Amino acid sequence: MLSGRRYRLDLTEEQSGFAERIGGACRSVWNTALEQRRTYRRRGRFIGYHEQARQLVEAKQDFGWLGEVPGHCLQQTLIDLDQACARHGTWKVRWKSKARNAPSFRFPEGGKITVERLNRRWARAKLPKLGWVRFRLTRPLGGKVKNATISRDGRHWYVSFLVDDGLTTSERHANPGSAVGVDRGVVKVVTRSDGRFHHQVFAREREVEHARKLQRDVARTMRGSARRRRAAARVADLARKIRNRRQDFAARTAHVLAADFELIVFEALAVRNMTAGVEPRPDPGRPGVFLVNGAASKSGLNRTILDKGWHRIELATRSRARHTGTHVITVNPAYTSQRCNVCTVVDRKSRESQAVFRCTSCGHIEHADVNAAKNILTAGRAEHAQAGPAVRVGARKPRNRVG
């Protein structure tokens, strides 16, 4: 089974500068190849990876800065671009900016990568043209290296190894027949159908106020100045700390879910659509004046949703499920918060508040998020029992609608 291992690098000043140049060259190749693909599309023609790789060999002879970086990193950039265009379309693939995108490049051939352990805390790896690089051995490598990705996060460089750990997916789960429905919310991050909650505050109020102060400091600096770079680095450091907490929470929650349940059911949430901005409402009687549209409150809700990391939790659960043999599926989220899990009647008036669900038909009272999680589990069990290659996993239509 393929797994990832991420370590913090200890690069010398010369190695750090060379890594920046490699990342810049890969970014330039990505943008140039993307523009070339779009130009061909405008003319009704097509250009693929093989032709662009041939032209890259010719360009390395004319531009010395392309020739000094590892050629496999540039070829891997073209492969990644080809896969992105095939998956999303040429016009939806984004450019790579020097300011917004941190440098990153991959060495795709694991046979050319040598890893040696120095002591209990340190190890080193030999990478093409970059030489020996030291990294903190925070966990065993545990397998044969397939490739290595170098990336910069803030002021530090990291290496991510893709290794084959030799493990296989378990054919039988430790708790056969167990299942759980998972409802993701803003008050409680994860609510399970068995009544348990998984929650954590990623950014405390003091840190939120400090982040606003740091952002004001950035706004008061001049663009391109050294003072602005230092202020932006302080903002990034705080954001990185919060992001690491969110990632750690997702990993711990995924470990508990995958270890305890054979079937895990999530809602198929379109987070991008849920966090879209509110369109302005022009006043028909007064040109140039807009009506109140609730954009301020909607922006606050969007920040809260994005802060919870809903998609990260689902990704971590799917990754962990490979080791335990857990099945992870998604269902249609329609009416899960308005349907009573006892009588299956749908009525939006049954949701009295964020935490209270009182069915207007049978009088059933329960925590609203737990009720929604039970509906998710019911829909997931029904779909998982009859799911086939051509069956779309989704929620069942409600038996009755009220109101």
Side-chain angles (χ1 to χ4, degrees):
M1 185 182 301
L2 297 179
S3 302
R5 303 288 188 268
R6 189 168 185 257
Y7 306 96
R8 177 174 163 180
L9 287 172
D10 183 23
L11 300 181
T12 63
E13 185 176 353
E14 181 180 358
Q15 290 175 336
S16 179
F18 186 47
E20 288 281 357
R21 293 196 297 273
I22 297 176
C26 292
R27 182 181 64 252
S28 178
V29 169
W30 175 283
N31 293 336
T32 304
L34 178 59
E35 176 60 26
Q36 187 181 37
R37 284 173 175 263
R38 292 182 176 181
T39 302
Y40 270 67
R41 289 293 300 274
R42 295 188 188 98
R43 299 175 180 176
R45 300 172 60 187
F46 173 79
I47 185 171
Y49 161 74
H50 298 285
E51 177 62 23
Q52 289 186 324
R54 186 189 64 80
Q55 296 181 9
L56 177 62
V57 175
E58 299 177 355
K60 291 173 65 176
Q61 300 176 359
D62 299 332
F63 301 96
W65 55 276
L66 282 177
E68 70 172 356
V69 303
H72 291 167
C73 297
L74 302 179
Q75 293 178 0
Q76 185 62 41
T77 301
L78 293 179
I79 294 176
D80 294 340
L81 176 63
D82 185 70
Q83 295 177 352
C85 292
R87 186 180 302 112
H88 305 290
T90 305
W91 302 104
K92 292 186 178 181
V93 178
R94 297 183 178 181
W95 303 90
K96 288 192 175 181
S97 169
K98 182 178 180 180
R100 297 183 179 182
N101 298 101
S104 176
F105 51 93
R106 183 181 306 148
F107 296 95
E109 296 187 359
K112 296 184 178 180
I113 302 174
T114 304
V115 180
E116 294 181 359
R117 182 168 183 171
L118 301 177
N119 50 46
R120 187 172 62 90
R121 294 186 176 181
W122 292 93
R124 66 174 185 172
K126 187 176 183 181
L127 303 176
K129 290 192 177 183
L130 198 58
W132 289 101
V133 294
R134 297 203 328 155
F135 60 89
R136 287 291 303 270
L137 193 63
T138 53
R139 63 177 299 184
L141 196 60
K144 182 180 179 181
V145 177
K146 294 296 184 180
N147 60 53
T149 302
I150 307 297
S151 60
R152 179 171 59 81
D153 189 359
R155 295 170 292 178
H156 302 291
W157 288 87
Y158 295 86
V159 57
S160 299
F161 294 108
L162 181 66
V163 300
D164 187 0
D165 53 16
L167 301 177
T168 58
T169 303
S170 176
E171 297 181 358
R172 184 178 178 85
H173 194 271
N175 300 320
S178 57
V180 66
V182 178
D183 178 70
R184 290 164 287 182
V186 295
V187 177
K188 298 293 184 181
V189 183
V190 170
T191 303
R192 292 164 33 173
S193 57
D194 57 1
R196 292 189 58 184
F197 300 92
H198 296 268
H199 184 70
Q200 179 179 342
V201 178
F202 306 119
R204 295 181 290 270
E205 294 183 2
R206 183 177 179 181
E207 292 177 328
V208 174
E209 293 296 331
H210 185 56
R212 294 174 181 173
K213 189 262 181 185
L214 294 179
Q215 291 172 353
R216 288 195 297 267
D217 294 342
V218 174
R220 294 167 181 169
T221 57
M222 184 179 300
R223 290 183 177 272
S225 63
R227 182 183 174 190
R228 186 181 185 88
R229 288 193 297 269
R230 290 193 297 267
R234 290 191 291 268
V235 175
D237 290 340
L238 181 58
R240 188 179 307 108
K241 182 186 299 184
I242 298 174
R243 185 172 65 249
N244 291 339
R245 293 174 187 169
R246 190 180 299 113
Q247 184 174 358
D248 177 73
F249 171 79
R252 288 187 287 107
T253 304
H255 177 79
V256 173
L257 293 176
D260 294 345
F261 300 99
E262 185 182 20
L263 175 64
I264 302 176
V265 187
F266 288 96
E267 291 178 295
L269 299 178
V271 180
R272 177 173 296 182
N273 298 338
M274 296 173 62
T275 56
V278 182
E279 295 184 358
R281 297 172 53 191
D283 190 348
R286 295 179 295 174
V289 180
F290 295 88
L291 301 175
V292 177
N293 60 350
S297 59
K298 183 61 169 62
S299 62
L301 177 61
N302 294 346
R303 288 192 298 267
T304 305
I305 292 176
L306 296 175
D307 176 69
K308 303 307 177 183
W310 290 349
H311 186 59
R312 186 182 297 271
I313 295 172
E314 181 180 344
L315 288 181
T317 305
R318 292 184 181 276
S319 177
R320 185 58 191 171
R322 300 180 305 158
H323 299 81
T324 60
T326 302
H327 300 280
V328 181
I329 64 175
T330 58
V331 298
N332 192 342
Y335 310 112
T336 55
S337 62
Q338 302 177 9
R339 180 190 297 111
C340 177
N341 69 85
V342 176
C343 64
T344 68
V345 173
V346 176
D347 186 5
R348 63 180 182 180
K349 296 181 180 179
S350 299
R351 186 74 180 261
E352 292 188 355
S353 63
Q354 186 278 327
V356 178
F357 182 91
R358 188 190 307 271
C359 182
T360 57
S361 178
C362 66
H364 175 67
I365 303 176
E366 195 173 19
H367 192 284
D369 293 339
V370 176
N371 176 79
K374 290 182 178 180
N375 291 327
I376 296 170
L377 175 60
T378 302
R381 277 177 168 166
E383 295 294 342
H384 183 67
Q386 60 182 0
V391 177
R392 187 185 72 87
V393 177
R396 296 177 298 173
K397 293 183 179 181
R399 181 176 62 86
N400 184 23
R401 288 200 61 188
V402 179

